């Protein structure tokens, strides 16, 4: 690389994802190459079974005057990089999450039961912790001092460069993370340790899935900047990035029905229409949407039944793929049936049986709801590509293979860093979400010249009155018009554990006892246990025993020991919010003891089962002896009069 040709420098990924973990010393680096998940020799836990933090790694790339990537810049090139990161957690100072404020329901077009109400009142989301008033609300923001770091292998033991702030009038200290560098001077950001707690003098109990007053967690987000000193004496300010700390990835390598990267691709296509292809590529633009349905067989038993191994819509089957890539008119009915199975993102009508089998932003759990947004749809861009595929307008490029870093061009490396980080996040539904929520689908959030970079807010504005509603979100200098530290995560649930342990499936049994679901790719519902995996892998096991162990009906509830009993039934009292919160509280304290779903290879040399399966690993939850529940969550009654209290509540009060 000719350093003299460098005109600008930029940080990649544009958005980096860190994840909390309670292991005090060990961590792993998040994915850096698209299609290749994060790796860790210890299965993402330390020797004591504590979950490791996921570090977000950032790189600097040089570009010429025409915007062409020249290559990565680091200490090996004699380049000095002074990194600067500024993160915060503003959840307690922000507004309640009641519903995504950009939906028709938030605008007043549907009531809380999902019935049409043209011209109805907007949803008003009130402030969290309203007893903190005026200037006192600053006490609710966990604002850490920005940190600078430079050099090779700086802070290897994590003893310095910490982000710490305080919350509440008692000024409780909260640790939000730290900085390190690797052996080439690249930045490593490690987030919080998953510690959530009450900041009241008298500790407040958990009472709801999203808006627990008097509580905080240690997620965060904020800008990443760098000043780059070149050997010729020039100093250049890099185009900045953003880092976000999220909950753990409990299903490593299982991608969501719609990923965060696909969401931002859709936003980019609206900002710059030229991004949209005239003729989509099968393996790049079509197949991921189908394959992600089948991948989720490992985290939801209903998806396993409908899209999993051996099913008619097993999109990983070579026989099915042969038909998917056939662009002939003779094969068009097959393609058309699949396309028409997907829910139209225009939401012009109710389509509860369409794909994907997910609850949507407007879910209320009223079985009589006529709100189309009670169910989730893929992005408009992906839907348009599927329509072109159905019509036979697509190309079939060579099937992608796992590429090594050194095989990639500088442009592929840089852009791939952003894609790899975001393809392991959720692009919806947003109620509120796992890593981020509904503001991320709005173009106003991004820099116009680079739609994957968060737009900076020069003058932070934290107060939009006692309540916030749809009418203000698109205003100039409104809450979406640029971001400052903490502005992405503040829209999320507080604490994250109360939301994660409330994201279940089949609240109302529209499609059986397992579906619809919320976010199984990050918050699994039904999993293949280690015992059932052992049966599958045992050469002495009978074929019948193996099929029983593998079948969807044998999958175990991921949240057993918290919300469910071992047999999958709801814990006694689970139909009341107070009793349900006991399980949520236990999860908030013991979230690291639950299983992580990881890929395992089967030793069996036959064609009866897939060569690779995803298995629940590392679970150490101690189940308290409980009598059988009278009714399971998945068997929720079908009449309104019998419906348990918690099911009867709308999502503004309970998931």
């Amino acid at each position: 690389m000719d350093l003299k040709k460098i005109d600008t420098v930029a940080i990649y990924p544009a958005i980096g994802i860190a994840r909390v973990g309670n292991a005090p010393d060990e961590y792993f680096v998040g994915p850096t190459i698209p299609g290749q998940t994060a790796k860790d020799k210890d299965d993402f836990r330390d020797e004591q079974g504590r979950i490791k933090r996921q570090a977000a790694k950032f790189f600097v790339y040089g570009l010429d005057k025409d915007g062409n990537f020249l290559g990565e810049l680091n200490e090996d090139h004699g380049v000095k990089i002074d990194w600067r990161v500024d993160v915060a957690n503003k959840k307690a100072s922000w507004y309640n999450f009641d519903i995504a404020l950009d939906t028709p329901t938030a605008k007043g077009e549907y009531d809380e039961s999902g019935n049409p109400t043209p011209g109805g009142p907007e949803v008003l989301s009130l402030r969290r912790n309203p007893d903190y008033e005026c200037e006192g609300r600053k006490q609710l923001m966990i604002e850490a001092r920005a940190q600078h770091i430079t050099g090779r292998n700086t802070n290897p033991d994590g003893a310095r460069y910490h982000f710490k702030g305080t919350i509440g009038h008692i000024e409780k200290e909260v640790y939000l993370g730290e900085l390190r560098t690797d052996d080439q001077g690249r930045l490593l950001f490690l987030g919080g340790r998953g510690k959530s707690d009450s900041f009241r003098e008298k500790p407040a109990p958990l009472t709801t899935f999203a808006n627990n007053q008097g509580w905080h967690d240690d997620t965060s987000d904020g800008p990443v900047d760098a000043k780059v000193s070149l050997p010729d004496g020039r100093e250049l300010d890099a185009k900045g990035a953003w880092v976000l700390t999220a909950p753990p990835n409990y299903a490593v390598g299982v991608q969501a029905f719609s990923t965060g990267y696909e969401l931002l691709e859709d936003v980019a296509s609206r900002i710059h229409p030229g991004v949209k292809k005239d003729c989509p590529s099968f393996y790049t633009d079509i197949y991921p949407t189908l394959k992600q349905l089948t991948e989720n067989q490992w985290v939801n038993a209903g998806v396993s039944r409908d899209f999993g191994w051996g099913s008619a819509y097993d999109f990983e089957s070579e026989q099915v793929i042969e038909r998917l890539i056939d662009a002939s008119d003779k094969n068009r009915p097959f393609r058309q049936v699949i396309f028409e199975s997907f829910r139209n993102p225009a939401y012009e009508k109710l389509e509860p049986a369409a794909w994907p089998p997910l609850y949507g932003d407007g879910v209320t759990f009223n079985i009589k709801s006529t709100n189309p947004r009670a169910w989730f749809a893929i992005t408009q861009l992906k839907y348009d590509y599927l329509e072109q595929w159905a019509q036979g307008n697509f190309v079939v490029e060579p099937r992608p293979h796992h590429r090594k870093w050194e095989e990639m061009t500088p442009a592929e490396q840089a852009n791939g860093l952003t894609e790899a980080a975001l393809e392991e996040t959720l692009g919806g539904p947003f109620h509120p979400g796992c890593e981020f929520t509904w503001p991320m689908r709005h173009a106003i959030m991004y820099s116009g010249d680079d739609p994957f970079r968060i737009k900076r807010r020069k003058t932070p504005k934290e107060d939009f009155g006692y309540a916030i509603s749809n009418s203000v979100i698109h205003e100039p200098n409104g809450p979406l018009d640029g971001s400052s530290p903490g502005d992405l995560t503040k829209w999320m649930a507080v604490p994250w554990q109360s939301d994660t342990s409330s994201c279940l499936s089949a609240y109302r049994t529209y499609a059986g006892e397992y579906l619809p679901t919320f976010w199984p790719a990050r918050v699994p519902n039904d999993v293949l246990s280690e015992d059932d995996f052992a049966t599958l892998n045992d050469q002495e096991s009978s074929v019948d025993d193996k099929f029983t162990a593998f079948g969807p009906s044998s999958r175990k509830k991921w949240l057993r020991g918290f919300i469910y009993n071992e047999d999958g039934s709801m814990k006694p009292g689970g139909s009341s919010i107070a009793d349900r919160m006991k399980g949520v509280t236990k999860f908030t304290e013991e979230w690291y003891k639950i299983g992580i779903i990881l890929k395992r290879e089967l030793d069996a040399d036959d064609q009866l089962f897939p060569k690779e399966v995803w298995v629940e690993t590392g679970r150490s939850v101690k189940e308290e002896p409980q009598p059988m529940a009278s009714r399971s969550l998945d068997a929720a009654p079908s009449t309104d009069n019998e419906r348990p209290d918690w099911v009867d509540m709308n999502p503004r009060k309970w998931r």
Side-chain angles (χ1 to χ4, degrees), residues 299-355:
V299 287
N300 180 279
V303 177
S304 177
R305 175 197 65 203
D306 295 348
F307 301 100
W309 175 261
S311 70
Y313 291 116
D314 175 3
F315 291 117
E316 292 182 327
S317 162
E318 290 300 324
Q319 291 80 6
V320 174
I321 292 174
E322 285 180 10
R323 296 194 67 186
L324 296 176
I325 62 176
D326 179 1
S328 69
D329 287 342
K330 182 179 179 180
N331 194 52
R332 182 166 178 171
F334 175 72
R335 300 192 306 271
Q336 194 71 29
V337 165
I338 291 175
F339 164 66
E340 292 181 0
S341 296
F342 281 88
R343 194 169 291 113
N344 191 323
Y347 287 113
E348 295 174 347
K349 61 181 180 179
L350 194 68
E351 298 179 283
W355 299 349

Side-chain angles (χ1 to χ4, degrees), residues 205-257:
L206 294 170
T207 60
T208 182
F209 79 97
N211 305 303
N212 289 288
Q213 308 302 318
W215 274 76
H216 73 85
D217 61 27
D218 58 4
T219 61
S220 64
D221 69 276
V224 178
D225 294 302
K227 185 176 288 293
V228 180
S229 300
L230 300 174
D232 61 10
R234 287 185 293 160
E235 287 189 348
L236 300 175
D237 290 323
K239 182 180 288 188
W242 208 268
V243 69
L244 183 152
T245 301
N249 180 354
Y250 286 112
V252 179
V254 177
Q255 292 191 0
F257 293 109

